[in-house]
Amino acid sequence: MSRIIPFKAVRPTADKVALVTCRNYDDYSSAELAAWLSFNPYSFLHVIHPAYVHSQKITLDKRFKGVAHKYQDFKDDKIFVEEEKPVFFVYEIQTKTNSFTGIVCGTSIEDYKNNVIKKHEDTLQYRVELFKDYLHQTGFNTEPVLITYPDNESLTNWILNKKKEPSIYHFSTTNKEKHTLWRVDLDNDILWLQQQFEKIPELYIADGHHRSASAELLFDEKSNPNNENLNYFMSFLIAESDVKIYEFNRIIRDLNGYKVNDFLARLDEHFIIKNKELELWKPQSKFEFGMYLDGNFYALFYKLENSNPTILENLDAQILYDKVLQPLLGIEDLRNDERIEYIPGKQSILTLKELIDEGEFEVGFMLYPSDISEIKALADNNLIMPPKSTYIEPKFRSGLIVYEL
């Protein structure tokens, strides 16, 4: 049984929503950040990245307090308004290639603790504690955890009917996305949605493992029966077939002492290798890998060596690590080794080629994206994917909906 709650959201006024909302600030280059902060006084970047110019010179404690103060300034200036009662939202994101629609709500930390809400990625404790301190000192969160639920005809039809009603927001962004938000405030609709999710035995985190873990840690430290929002964390619930999963491709700075021919010979132990020369080749199915090395693209077809592999051993990202990255290239720590970097699969493989041709990297690997069934199977068996195995959309706009603690 999955428990969800409505909440008294804080959100931008309709006339300013397109100016306020932003991508996660990590997605902006330094030049983009400077431009947005200089020319758009309403950008939520002013809140989540206060004192941008001096950000490296102040302590985290002062930075978090600055976030809290700037957020309060936005509320005092009536840039934000608060809902009169707890509500749900239906939110649609239309990109150039995909459309995503889901439900914004609070999901239960007790469900998270009891594995009703399942996870497939490991977390770094320092990041969990850092974001927990951020939540505690700022008193709000605006980036929901992306959670999938099994496709459900009743929910799908209800959402389709809801989208026929007038929205409270409909706006476009500079990256050519369209965003639409509907408020769900009728008691009958709220109760019906809660009852539908009570029938769903398990939910799966797609993106946001650190955020959910930080919410749990804050709950453990600050649990308060009079503050229900602490017992839940904001989530964006979306049907599992609507999630778009991309791979993360890998680029490595050197061949760990191997000559090109020697490296290819070692790869031949585990892969059938076909030289595609200058063809921009990407994997077409599971157990296929692309490689760019020494000016040529290669197709690598994995020689299945185990007739009964585990779920984790069957994962392409794990195969690449077990057969190439760790034993041949000497990369033990996929998170922290400075010799490896990652490129989201939604980017052109020309990006990978250009970075290697420029000389800073020597070899790149392209993977075939995982699917939702692999993610669920790992989560069901309490297994963890290798770091940077998936790049998942949709991505939520910061500052669109604020969940106060």
Side-chain angles (χ1 to χ4, degrees):
M1 183 180 81
S2 306
R3 291 170 290 175
I4 65 172
I5 61 163
F7 61 96
K8 290 184 69 174
V10 176
R11 53 184 180 79
T13 56
D15 63 313
K16 296 183 180 68
V17 63
L19 294 169
V20 171
T21 64
C22 61
R23 309 193 306 273
N24 183 293
Y25 78 83
D26 288 333
D27 292 343
Y28 293 88
S29 67
S30 296
E32 286 179 301
L33 270 176
W36 279 106
L37 291 167
S38 295
F39 297 108
N40 181 4
Y42 296 112
S43 174
F44 199 68
L45 289 168
H46 287 285
V47 175
I48 57 178
H49 211 312
Y52 168 70
V53 174
H54 307 290
S55 62
Q56 302 304 317
K57 301 178 183 179
I58 62 176
T59 64
L60 285 173
D61 183 66
K62 287 184 178 179
R63 190 180 302 177
F64 293 162
K65 288 178 179 176
V67 171
H69 290 152
K70 193 65 179 178
Y71 173 60
Q72 188 60 49
D73 287 345
F74 269 46
K75 292 177 70 175
D76 292 342
D77 291 341
K78 309 300 181 186
I79 297 171
F80 282 112
V81 294
E82 185 175 4
E83 293 289 345
E84 295 180 356
K85 58 174 285 189
V87 299
F88 292 129
F89 296 97
V90 170
Y91 177 37
E92 179 186 68
I93 305 168
Q94 291 183 323
T95 70
K96 288 178 283 188
T97 55
N98 296 290
S99 179
F100 309 97
T101 305
I103 298 164
V104 184
C105 64
T107 48
S108 168
I109 289 177
E110 289 293 345
D111 285 351
Y112 176 80
K113 285 175 171 288
N114 295 328
N115 213 30
V116 173
I117 298 175
K118 297 192 172 187
K119 40 199 170 289
H120 68 269
E121 285 186 7
D122 206 355
T123 55
L124 296 174
Q125 190 61 27
Y126 83 90
R127 284 187 59 191
V128 172
E129 293 182 1
L130 180 66
F131 193 65
K132 181 266 296 180
D133 292 340
Y134 172 90
L135 293 174
H136 174 57
Q137 295 198 47
T138 64
F140 73 86
N141 179 32
T142 186
E143 294 184 15
V145 177
L146 181 65
I147 292 180
T148 67
Y149 60 85
D151 285 44
N152 181 300
E153 187 176 358
S154 295
L155 283 169
T156 298
N157 290 334
W158 183 88
I159 289 172
L160 288 172
N161 287 327
K162 185 65 184 178
K163 288 166 65 173
K164 295 175 183 177
E165 298 177 9
S167 62
I168 56 174
Y169 295 146
H170 182 66
F171 64 97
S172 296
T173 55
T174 53
N175 59 343
K176 298 182 180 179
E177 293 180 350
K178 292 182 180 179
H179 300 261
T180 312
L181 191 73
W182 294 265
R183 182 198 289 112
V184 182
D185 57 359
L186 295 179
D187 291 343
N188 287 342
D189 283 341
I190 290 172
L191 180 60
W192 185 85
L193 281 174
Q194 290 178 311
Q195 290 173 339
Q196 293 303 304
F197 279 93
E198 285 175 358
K199 299 175 186 177
I200 298 175
E202 296 156 338
L203 301 173
Y204 294 82
I205 296 177
D207 192 22
H209 287 79
H210 284 90
R211 277 165 269 159
S212 52
S214 297
E216 178 191 25
L217 191 58
L218 184 64
F219 168 86
D220 289 341
E221 293 184 3
K222 305 291 182 182
S223 181
N224 183 347
N226 297 318
N227 183 357
E228 191 174 48
N229 282 8
L230 274 176
N231 304 330
Y232 292 77
F233 54 87
M234 183 168 65
S235 295
F236 185 32
L237 307 182
I238 188 167
E240 60 188 37
S241 64
D242 288 343
V243 171
K244 179 64 176 176
I245 303 173
Y246 297 91
E247 73 281 11
F248 264 107
N249 296 319
R250 283 92 161 102
I251 49 176
I252 295 89
R253 297 184 190 279
D254 59 71
L255 291 182
N256 197 30
Y258 283 101
K259 300 294 185 183
V260 170
N261 287 338
D262 293 336
F263 183 66
L264 289 171
R266 290 297 306 274
L267 287 178
D268 187 61
E269 296 173 15
H270 302 290
F271 301 90
I272 298 170
I273 303 171
K274 293 186 178 180
N275 190 341
K276 297 290 185 176
E277 298 181 340
L278 294 180
E279 179 186 346
L280 298 176
W281 191 86
K282 291 183 66 174
Q284 306 300 305
S285 64
K286 188 170 174 56
F287 302 126
E288 295 181 5
F289 302 83
M291 181 176 71
Y292 183 67
L293 172 65
D294 197 31
N296 290 299
F297 283 93
Y298 294 86
L300 309 180
F301 302 94
Y302 181 55
K303 301 174 184 177
L304 295 174
E305 301 166 350
N306 187 342
S307 60
N308 189 28
T310 65
I311 298 167
L312 189 58
E313 289 171 339
N314 219 28
L315 194 70
D316 282 2
Q318 188 69 38
I319 291 169
L320 185 67
Y321 177 75
D322 289 341
K323 304 303 181 184
V324 182
L325 299 182
Q326 191 271 338
L328 302 186
L329 297 179
I331 295 173
E332 301 284 348
D333 187 345
L334 290 171
R335 289 187 184 276
N336 300 310
D337 195 315
E338 294 183 353
R339 294 171 55 230
I340 185 170
E341 291 192 13
Y342 303 89
I343 301 174
K346 66 179 298 183
Q347 293 188 25
S348 169
I349 59 174
L350 282 173
T351 302
L352 179 147
K353 179 181 183 298
E354 289 167 0
L355 287 168
I356 294 171
D357 288 344
E358 288 169 0
E360 185 177 353
F361 298 88
E362 193 160 353
V363 62
F365 296 95
M366 291 78 77
L367 286 78
Y368 188 75
S370 295
D371 60 32
I372 193 67
S373 64
E374 286 185 310
I375 290 174
K376 291 176 65 176
L378 287 163
D380 288 341
N381 287 274
N382 297 314
L383 295 171
I384 300 300
M385 274 187 161
K388 298 292 186 181
S389 291
T390 56
Y391 178 89
I392 297 179
E393 288 187 339
K395 301 296 185 186
F396 208 87
R397 297 284 289 183
S398 290
L400 178 68
I401 298 172
V402 181
Y403 184 90
E404 293 190 341
L405 300 168

